[in-house]
Amino acid sequence: MASDGVAQLVDSLAKTQVTEGELSYKGQGCKFDNAESVENMVKEIQEFKGLKALRLEGNTYGVEAAQAIAKALETKTEFKYCYWSDMFTGRLRSEIPPALNSLGAALMTAGARLTVLDLSDNAFGPDGVKGIEKLLKSTACHTLQELRLNNCGMGIGGGKILAAALMECYKQSSAQGSPLGLKVFIAGRNRLENDGATALAQAFQLMGSLEEVHMPQNGINHAGVTALATAMQHNPQLRVLNLNDNTFTKKGAIAMAQALKHLRNVQVINFGDCLVRSEGAIAIAEAVTEGLPILKELNLSFGEITEEAALLVAQSVEGKATLEKLDLNGNCIGVGGCDALREVMEGLNMGNRLGTLSDDEGEPEDDDDDEEEDEEEEEDEDDDDEEEEDDEEEEEEDEEEDEEEESSVKVSTPPSAPRPPDAASFLCFPSPDKLLKLGTKRAVLIEQQVDVADAFKTAEAFLKISSVYKEEDEEVKSAVLDSIDTVLRKAFANPSFQGFSFVSSLLVMLGLLKSEDKVKPVCVVPGHLQALEYAVRQEYFPQEHIAVLEAFMSRHSQALEPCAGARNRLKLTLERVRHES
């Protein structure tokens, strides 16, 4: 649940140890309104030799009190640690920026070099970020390693201001030969949304030094998640990634899975309450299988993940000796699926590392809303068909008018020759005869009609080509396999091609995986599976997708019942290829 992400974040925030040279007024619950109220504090700050850390959290400070404290800090050249969370409770928002401005200006005057800046739990909004903007851009923050701004209500505007300040700090510090090396960034519960997250992602990518990122409960959807995923790829030392309680959906989860394939040092992944769904979970499972050698925690709870995907996630942690916890609670696995999940983990000698499944939602059921949406889609398709028929009728009328005009000029015309088949026509209405009539260049002609940069369209083309496969007809069989070779070879050769999306789309169109995109499955024929059996044996087919295909072919499916023989052969081939790789 979302509380798990917050608890993890609080735990991280709590890992602040008493520092040598620290002066603490933490948690006294005092209200300091003016200079007189902080006289004793100011005196203690002034008299403290070698002051490095000041804890002000758990009290509330007015503008005059903050200014008096700031004046005392102006001479503290060794100052490094600002523990200033929860210090404006009950204050007007208009009071906070000037208070922060005065404190920041004092640190700049002192020539301080900060290591930690913690302003969490100060609901200062975008204006509060403006209050620390100058400080963040200054030399005082060129050495900053931890920035903690949890629960500050920054919003999109504050996120953009913060991102711009960090980028400016990085550029200025780099120009001086010591680039900003921020390691810990905490900004949960800030309503950053997509635009705020995207702006910060640019700063993260520029810095490339992050080791911990905590951004739970920020209303970030797949666009923002994708931007963050791209940025994470440029932070090779990343150890902790906590994006709990944002909304990934399939697109965001697949993007994040791709990012994880580039990271070797990740120990904690918290994507709980992120609605990664089954397709996203499978993509993440692939990333875990391929890498993440020192993974300790993987949280994919409350993500609408079904049994098949959950089992793949469980299988992906095989050999992860450092794993301490796998959390798949609150998904849609079902009673039987939960038992199977426990059995898999026990078989890996990791039964005690599987978290509770007490909040499992049970196997998903297609509700009335889904049926209504399907009916609406069918109605839309019918409307499209009617429009196409109307267009065809208009075209026929135009052709008849053209013919009448031509007949007024020419007395007679020879009957037109039948139109030769083309690749586009074959892909719209596949048939063995059309495929053969495309001639010896059929594979190239078909490939030119397929957008091989698009994983879904490539999968769709694969199924259309393979639908005419005939084992007993060598000419048709050869034409199909040659065409598939050409299309898939070019697709997988493209560095930006998302191989997992291709496999996921195949599974969805074959009716083996439910998609959030409401894709209508095809009627599975043996040719689909026979062509796939051929493709997985080719050198261009990525080996990391074999386990996913094998898992789905191993489970009972009504969609594949008419093709039991082809399915069994494909399953055996997948098993053999996996063992050989």
Side-chain angles (χ1 to χ4, degrees), residues 88 93 96-98 100-101 117 119 122-137 147 149 151-166 185 187 190 192 200:
F88 296 114
R93 181 166 289 189
I96 300 176
L100 291 173
N101 265 317
L117 177 58
L119 289 167
N122 291 309
F124 48 49
D127 290 340
V129 183
K130 292 179 182 178
I132 59 172
E133 185 178 7
K134 289 182 180 178
L135 173 63
L136 289 171
K137 291 179 178 180
L147 180 57
L149 296 170
N151 192 30
C152 290
M154 289 189 289
I156 295 173
K160 290 182 175 181
I161 296 169
L162 176 61
L166 289 173
F185 180 83
N190 270 291
L192 294 170
L200 285 166

Side-chain angles (χ1 to χ4, degrees), residues 293-492:
I294 56 174
L295 185 65
K296 290 184 177 180
E297 296 182 25
L298 176 59
N299 184 349
L300 297 178
S301 60
F302 297 90
E304 293 190 2
I305 300 170
T306 56
E307 178 184 350
E308 292 84 358
L311 292 174
L312 284 169
V313 172
Q315 291 165 1
S316 74
V317 301
E318 182 177 5
K320 307 295 179 186
T322 57
L323 188 74
E324 296 174 0
K325 185 177 181 180
L326 172 62
D327 191 347
L328 289 168
N329 195 26
N331 284 298
C332 306
I333 303 172
V335 176
C338 287
D339 290 339
L341 188 58
R342 294 187 188 96
E343 185 178 334
V344 169
M345 291 299 287
E346 289 289 348
L348 299 175
N349 293 320
M350 291 182 171
N352 60 340
R353 299 173 202 178
L354 178 64
T356 180
L357 299 172
S358 59
D359 294 318
D360 187 73
E361 298 286 343
E363 295 182 25
E365 295 182 2
D366 293 332
D367 52 28
D368 294 337
D369 291 339
D370 287 342
E371 292 176 2
E372 289 174 4
E373 289 177 9
D374 291 340
E375 289 173 1
E376 289 173 3
E377 288 178 2
E378 289 174 2
E379 289 173 2
D380 291 339
E381 290 174 1
D382 291 339
D383 292 339
D384 292 340
D385 291 340
E386 290 174 4
E387 290 175 5
E388 290 176 4
E389 289 173 3
D390 291 339
D391 291 340
E392 290 173 0
E393 288 175 2
E394 290 175 5
E395 289 175 5
E396 289 174 1
E397 290 173 2
D398 291 340
E399 289 174 0
E400 289 173 1
E401 291 174 2
D402 292 340
E403 289 173 1
E404 288 175 1
E405 290 175 3
E406 290 175 3
S407 65
S408 65
V409 179
K410 300 178 182 179
V411 177
S412 64
T413 57
S416 58
R419 184 180 179 185
D422 57 57
S425 173
F426 166 74
L427 289 172
C428 287
F429 304 101
S431 73
D433 185 56
K434 283 184 180 179
L435 180 62
L436 295 179
K437 285 183 177 179
L438 289 175
T440 56
K441 295 183 179 180
R442 64 179 68 88
V444 175
L445 295 173
I446 291 173
E447 179 266 312
Q448 290 173 348
Q449 293 293 321
V450 180
D451 182 3
V452 291
D454 188 311
F456 180 86
K457 291 179 180 177
T458 303
E460 188 176 40
F462 172 88
L463 292 178
K464 287 187 174 182
I465 298 168
S466 59
S467 67
V468 303
Y469 181 96
K470 290 184 177 182
E471 183 69 32
E472 68 281 0
D473 189 327
E474 284 298 327
E475 188 179 8
V476 173
K477 176 181 175 181
S478 177
V480 168
L481 298 183
D482 185 38
S483 301
I484 285 173
D485 259 341
T486 303
V487 171
L488 294 190
R489 194 181 300 277
K490 184 169 183 179
F492 285 118

Side-chain angles (χ1 to χ4, degrees), residues 481-482 484-485 529-538 540:
L481 298 183
D482 185 38
I484 285 173
D485 259 341
L529 306 185
Q530 290 166 325
L532 186 56
E533 182 194 356
Y534 166 82
V536 299
R537 289 188 274 114
Q538 307 311 306
Y540 56 73

